[in-house]
Amino acid sequence: MSTTEEEPDRVVDPCGRNDLPLKVSRLRMKLSQKAKLEPKFRFYALYDRVYRFDVLQAAWSLVRKPKTAPGVDGVTFKDIENSEQGVHGYLEELQEDLRSKSYQPDAVRRVHIPKPDGRTRPLGIPTIRDRVVQMAVLLILEPIFEADFRDSSFGFRPGRSAHDALDAIREQLSHGKREVYDADLKGYFDTIPHNKLLAALAFRISDRSLLKLIRLWLQTPIEETDDEGRKTRHRPSSGTPQGGVIAPPTKVQNFDIASFLRKKGEVDSVHDSNLLFLD
């Protein structure tokens, strides 16, 4: 029987985040182990983990980056750090809002980033307050859904990058594999159906408070400013803003291209190891 004294002083984070506090890494490791051992288990008590103070502190450290634009409230990290309450007081206030379930997300400020082909990419900028809560939720959900991802998946996963995907491609090519499916879901971020996304999350999560929190973010108004400085807001019926902390992880809608192609009869499940799938 293990005791607190027997627990190691350092826990290897299940998702490769080695800059987290020890207790947060331990929590994530337990969630990861449970998810791996019981693939059909639905986690029912997660919301109170989100507002644990050490989780909120870790979330603040991860989203605290220099030269990041503020959200619709205009508040910057330095404003919070230089305020009378400071970061500690700010997080205490946020913790109480979450505990009492009085937390409501702010509108997302949308800007348009030029692309090389002349088009623009819409980017959503949440307020710092919302970024911290989103990161706290990510810290709790990440080890659960990471346990379900295929090892060949690289997109938006901690400790993995496009360079790792390229290395995997080179290795597969060196083994004589030559067939590649190159698929792109057009306007994916803008067209994700909210109900289907939440249903996919509910496959693993039964905590209603946490699911409600994610629904609030999906339905948060988007604020845009035109060339004359006029601001307008609209509430999206689908999609998730690019730029938010929680946006990539909510792509757990799990478009499994391998399974999709098998259903279409385009891949022989016996020989699909000869194919290379990219997401």
Side-chain angles (χ1 to χ4, degrees), residues 47 51 90-104 129 133:
Y47 184 79
Y51 61 76
Y90 178 83
L91 294 179
E92 283 185 329
E93 185 178 295
L94 186 53
Q95 181 186 46
E96 181 54 35
D97 287 345
L98 290 167
R99 180 186 289 114
S100 64
K101 298 185 179 179
S102 61
Y103 166 84
Q104 289 291 323
R129 178 171 169 271
V133 182

Side-chain angles (χ1 to χ4, degrees), residues 3 29 32 57 69 81-83 104 107 116-117 129-130 138 146 157 162 175 190 226 229 232 259 266:
T3 65
M29 179 58 75
S32 175
Q57 286 180 310
E81 292 165 346
N82 296 332
S83 66
Q104 289 291 323
D117 60 6
R129 178 171 169 271
D130 291 337
L138 172 60
E146 270 291 306
R157 297 183 64 185
H175 287 81
D190 299 328
D226 63 20
T232 58
S259 299
E266 297 181 27

